[in-house]
Amino acid sequence: MLFVYLVHHIVCLFQTVLSVGRQQGVHQTLHNAIASLPTGLDPDTNLTLRVANAVYYNQSRITVLPGFSQNIQRLYGRALKPLEQPNPEAAINSWVEEVTDGMIQNLLPPGHITNSNTVLMLLNAVFFEGFWVNQFSTSHTSESDFTTATGSVVRVPMMYQSDAVISFNNIEALNAQVIELPYTGDRFSLFLIMPNTWDGLMNLERRLDGQMLNRILNNMRPTVSADLHLPKFRLSTGKELNDHLMSMGLRTALSRRADFRRMSLRPLYISKVIHKAIIEVTETGSRAAAVTSVGITLYSRPLNTVHVNKPFVFILRDKTSGLNFFMGRVTDPSHE
């Protein structure tokens, strides 16, 4: 999940959702994980990985507290930036496009920020480009049948490689097979888990949990030689995640009961979480990009109406010493 890269204090609100205890030092753990990644282009493997975070804020409407700003820089890099006016969406879209190598463009439509009360925008972007250890020849790609989850058959461009060196396992508990396609450098691979029947995907997804997935991927068999047929594909998705996050238990942060006082003294809550992702799998390898944006909105508390129109008591008090210097009552203000 890309949410693991969201900035300090915000991640605290996701601890219940992600089942991470405070004692585990979630922020430092995430910082260490990000720092351990091979960022940028690795000339030895020709593999590119970028993980970038940014926090844009409206400096004319909100003051970011020093502690929050320091934690941002210490744990997530120099990510704090003022929103550019009068078109803040353009700068954010440009940042996303640059980090994702142009795969994700126009994340925010014009007016997304300016037409709302959004004063903070949290962003996480990931870009990956890797090349197969054994690449497919484009001359071997041809149209072939693919059975969909509804049982219908469609024609798709199918890549082919004879004597492909892959890792392969049969998973009886899932009635499925898992295939590992390594990228150059041996650190990253593309794993495919395919049911043995065309209608088995729902059952697979229902039975596959995190622990089982870890066991499967950590216990792949040695490589074998096989004739490999793999469809070329490009998938893209864009979703608003508010409802999904609320169903997972993240409710307070998405309501006006949210408490972001460690970020700013102004009343804030998460108004909209947007996620976009794209992956391309071709003869040479894979390109993938994803971005998550979290809009933080300033809300105005309703003005209370106080109408002093009845007899009252008054007290003039020194709050430091606790002494009441004057006390009295007013029953008719028209008289002294």
Side-chain angles (χ1 to χ4, degrees):
M1 291 180 62
L2 295 175
F3 288 109
V4 296
Y5 299 116
L6 294 179
V7 295
H8 193 75
H9 298 313
I10 297 297
V11 182
C12 292
L13 296 170
F14 287 84
Q15 285 181 317
T16 301
V17 177
L18 299 176
S19 298
V20 177
R22 292 181 181 274
Q23 71 278 6
Q24 293 175 261
V26 59
H27 303 296
Q28 191 61 50
T29 300
L30 295 178
H31 170 77
N32 294 341
I34 295 172
S36 70
L37 294 172
T39 56
L41 173 63
D42 185 342
D44 296 329
T45 63
N46 207 23
L47 184 145
T48 302
L49 178 67
R50 298 191 203 105
V51 178
N53 300 283
V55 182
Y56 288 85
Y57 71 104
N58 189 329
Q59 58 185 343
S60 67
R61 301 190 62 193
I62 186 174
T63 299
V64 176
L65 296 178
F68 178 76
S69 177
Q70 292 165 7
N71 283 326
I72 287 287
Q73 294 196 19
R74 180 174 64 87
L75 294 167
Y76 298 94
R78 297 180 179 274
L80 196 61
K81 308 176 183 184
L83 286 170
E84 296 185 11
Q85 301 298 342
N87 186 11
E89 297 86 4
I92 291 176
N93 289 342
S94 177
W95 180 86
V96 171
E97 184 174 346
E98 180 181 356
V99 174
T100 63
D101 205 38
M103 290 191 73
I104 297 180
Q105 302 180 16
N106 302 318
L107 172 71
L108 303 178
H112 179 88
I113 295 174
T114 52
N115 294 340
S116 68
N117 231 359
T118 300
V119 293
L120 272 162
M121 182 67 71
L122 281 65
L123 294 150
N124 163 254
V126 178
F127 173 77
F128 172 87
E129 183 173 28
F131 297 90
W132 306 124
V133 170
N134 298 296
Q135 297 186 12
F136 296 82
S137 171
T138 56
S139 63
H140 293 161
T141 301
S142 60
E143 294 290 310
S144 184
D145 289 346
F146 185 92
T147 305
T148 70
T150 62
S152 61
V153 177
V154 296
R155 301 285 287 179
V156 300
M158 189 73 69
M159 302 181 294
Y160 171 72
Q161 188 178 142
S162 62
D163 297 323
V165 179
I166 61 174
S167 293
F168 177 88
N169 249 347
N170 281 307
I171 312 299
E172 293 184 6
L174 296 175
N175 191 25
Q177 50 190 314
V178 57
I179 304 157
E180 178 185 359
L181 303 176
Y183 298 102
T184 55
D186 295 328
R187 177 164 179 168
F188 297 88
S189 293
L190 181 69
F191 293 89
L192 309 173
I193 303 179
M194 181 178 64
N196 292 323
T197 59
W198 65 263
D199 58 349
L201 185 62
M202 183 177 297
N203 181 61
L204 185 150
E205 292 176 336
R206 185 168 53 245
R207 301 185 64 183
L208 185 64
D209 59 20
Q211 291 183 340
M212 179 183 288
L213 182 62
N214 283 335
R215 286 197 304 269
I216 291 172
L217 302 188
N218 291 335
N219 293 281
M220 293 297 295
R221 292 180 177 178
T223 57
V224 297
S225 178
D227 284 352
L228 176 63
H229 301 259
L230 178 67
K232 291 178 63 173
F233 61 88
R234 184 183 191 274
L235 301 178
S236 63
T237 181
K239 288 183 177 293
E240 183 179 321
L241 299 181
N242 289 40
D243 290 342
H244 297 284
L245 291 172
M246 291 181 70
S247 68
M248 294 169 66
L250 192 70
R251 294 182 176 275
T252 302
L254 291 160
S255 73
R256 298 199 174 197
R257 294 181 289 112
D259 183 0
F260 288 104
R261 285 175 295 178
R262 295 178 65 185
M263 180 190 298
S264 170
L265 297 179
R266 301 294 300 276
L268 304 172
Y269 71 101
I270 296 176
S271 56
K272 186 175 291 189
V273 180
I274 299 173
H275 179 69
K276 287 192 175 182
I278 298 173
I279 183 170
E280 297 174 347
V281 173
T282 66
E283 289 87 353
T284 57
S286 303
R287 297 177 85 231
V291 61
T292 304
S293 71
V294 180
I296 308 292
T297 296
L298 173 69
Y299 69 86
S300 300
R301 292 190 176 97
L303 295 176
N304 295 314
T305 300
V306 180
H307 194 178
V308 182
N309 59 357
K310 293 176 281 293
F312 60 92
V313 171
F314 67 87
I315 304 169
L316 196 159
R317 178 180 175 87
D318 176 7
K319 295 194 295 182
T320 301
S321 65
L323 296 176
N324 299 320
F325 283 83
F326 296 90
M327 296 180 67
R329 71 163 84 149
V330 175
T331 57
D332 183 354
S334 68
H335 292 82
E336 294 183 4

